Every structure is written in C-alpha cells, then in structure tokens.
Amino acid sequence: MSEFSTVSTPDELLAVAVRVAREAAATARRMRDEAIGDVQTKSTDTDVVTAADKAVERQVVDALLAERPGDGVLGEEYGDSVTVAPGAVRWILDPIDGTVNYLYGLPQYAVSLAAERDGVVVAGVVVNAATGDEWTATLGGGAWRDGRRLTGSARTTLDQTLVGTGFGYDPRRRAHQGAVLARLITRVRDIRRLGAAALDLCLVAEGTLDAYYEKGLNLWDHAAGGLIAAEAGLTVAGLSGEPAGKPMLVAAPPAIFPALHDALVELDAAGGP
C-alpha cells in the first residue's frame, strides 16, 4: 500500500481527502454539544481547543493511515505523525478551523485537509462543518464548489474591495493588527472578520470576499484554502516577494493584489509581535 501511496494523482488524493473530510465534518457537528463542555486553552486564555478538535484530528489521522500507511499527517493538535520519504504524501489537517466560532455556535467552522508532495500542495478540500458547504482544488485542475469553477472577484480597485482578515491570540499582536486595520479601513470598501482562515480563503476564491490578508497563519490554516484560492486565479503570496506564510498571507485577484500589497507594506502589517 505504501508503495502505491506515493504515486497517486492529485485527483485520487482529492477523492480521499473529500471522503475523509466529510466524515470528519459530520463528527464535528455531532460532537458539538458535548465537546464544548470540555474546553482547554493553548497559547493564551483566548486560544481554545475543544474535545472535538482532538477527536476529529484523531479520526482523520487514523482513517488516512489505515488507507495510506506510507503517508504522513501534520495536524494542528498532535503535530507530525511521521517523517515522510521524498516523493511521499504528507496530509495537512486543521480538524476544526474556527474553534471559537464552534464554541459559540457561529456557523463558520471547517475541516481543512490538503495533500502535499515534496513541499507542494497538490490537492485540498475545505468543508464548512456547520453548513456542509464544500470547496475543492487540485494543482493545475482549478478550484470548484458544487460543480462550479471558481474565478475570484472581478473587482479592480482597492477602494471598492471587501477585505477579509483575522487576528492573533496574543494581545500585543492584536493591538498591532488593530492599528493596521484602523488605517486600512479608510482605503477599502469594508472589512470582514469571520474567524476561520480556511473559509476566508474559500470565500475569496468564489468572490464573496474580494481579498484577504492575515499575519500569523500556520500551514494547516492555509494549505487547502490557499490552493483553492490560487487555483481560482488569485495571487496568494506574502509581502515583498516572500511566499505566503506565517509573516503574512495575502490572497487577492491580480488586479487588486499590488495595491493591497503596497498598502500592507506601508502600514507595516507584517511587523509587530
């Protein structure tokens, strides 16, 4: 099995991801009432993790490794399962992206699952566990929702752009991000903060949001959603020629990206704690 797991096509990997993510989303929905009674904190008192985060991650890891024992899994709660060989697949999982929304019953929380080979994400799915909405992409195969190919927003000017963003859990980082936002909001149509980076990226891919930026994202936050946005034709990158990553991720149509990028550089959006 492990021999064949290294040669699967992106479409085959996506089929596995979709099946496993749908089952995980069903578990997250089913567990919600009991899971929110068992809440712990991580980096700060506002950075929460529920019993469901851990149970969903364990379910996904077990399902993937039972079917594809030669693969590795990087999950938010338990880290890397194994070190994968060159050419092998590593799955990147956020079991519940938007845990605070989950805790409060807000319908924006998602299972995000991507397949990566040699550092390149080749397939990804994001399932809104609250609603069942689903977005998928394969490298070179486009981004899709309900059989519709996604092409992002047709907006061309920053002042007419609806921008999504998010905030870190460290109070000092939040203060810096809030200061950036206070100056950016006068240059755009408006700002939205939904609380789930994977869903933000999918909404940008389908054009419900025009653009998105955030500092401090981990790989599991954006692996699947970033591929979906990029395959929808968006520019997904960091600032000043850097790749998208923890210092900054910006996702915007090519017509908007330069102006948003320059504004974020000017406002030192990647700075601060």
Side-chain angles (χ1 to χ4, degrees), residues 101 162-168 176-178 180-182 184-185 188 190-201 203-204 209-217 248-251 260 264 269:
N101 289 344
L162 182 64
V163 179
T165 193
F167 307 105
H176 181 79
Q177 290 172 319
V180 171
L181 184 64
L184 180 65
I185 198 169
V188 300
D190 210 343
I191 299 287
R192 293 292 181 269
R193 192 273 203 265
L194 300 180
L199 291 177
D200 284 324
L201 286 162
L203 294 179
V204 172
L209 292 172
D210 297 314
Y212 167 75
Y213 77 95
E214 187 166 348
K215 174 182 176 174
L217 295 179
M248 180 59 64
L249 181 148
V250 184
L260 179 57
L264 293 172

Side-chain angles (χ1 to χ4, degrees), residues 114-206:
E116 173 196 77
R117 183 181 284 122
D118 293 330
V120 177
V121 177
V122 298
V125 59
V126 175
V127 181
N128 185 333
T131 64
D133 293 332
E134 182 178 293
W135 298 261
T136 62
T138 55
L139 184 64
W144 302 82
R145 177 181 177 183
D146 298 329
R148 175 172 63 92
R149 187 159 189 166
L150 306 180
T151 57
S153 171
R155 203 74 59 199
T156 58
T157 60
L158 187 61
D159 65 330
Q160 295 297 305
T161 297
L162 182 64
V163 179
T165 193
F167 307 105
Y169 291 106
D170 183 280
R172 296 171 303 157
R173 176 169 291 180
R174 287 186 174 190
H176 181 79
Q177 290 172 319
V180 171
L181 184 64
R183 296 174 63 193
L184 180 65
I185 198 169
T186 59
R187 308 185 190 192
V188 300
R189 181 188 292 273
D190 210 343
I191 299 287
R192 293 292 181 269
R193 192 273 203 265
L194 300 180
L199 291 177
D200 284 324
L201 286 162
C202 291
L203 294 179
V204 172
E206 69 179 30

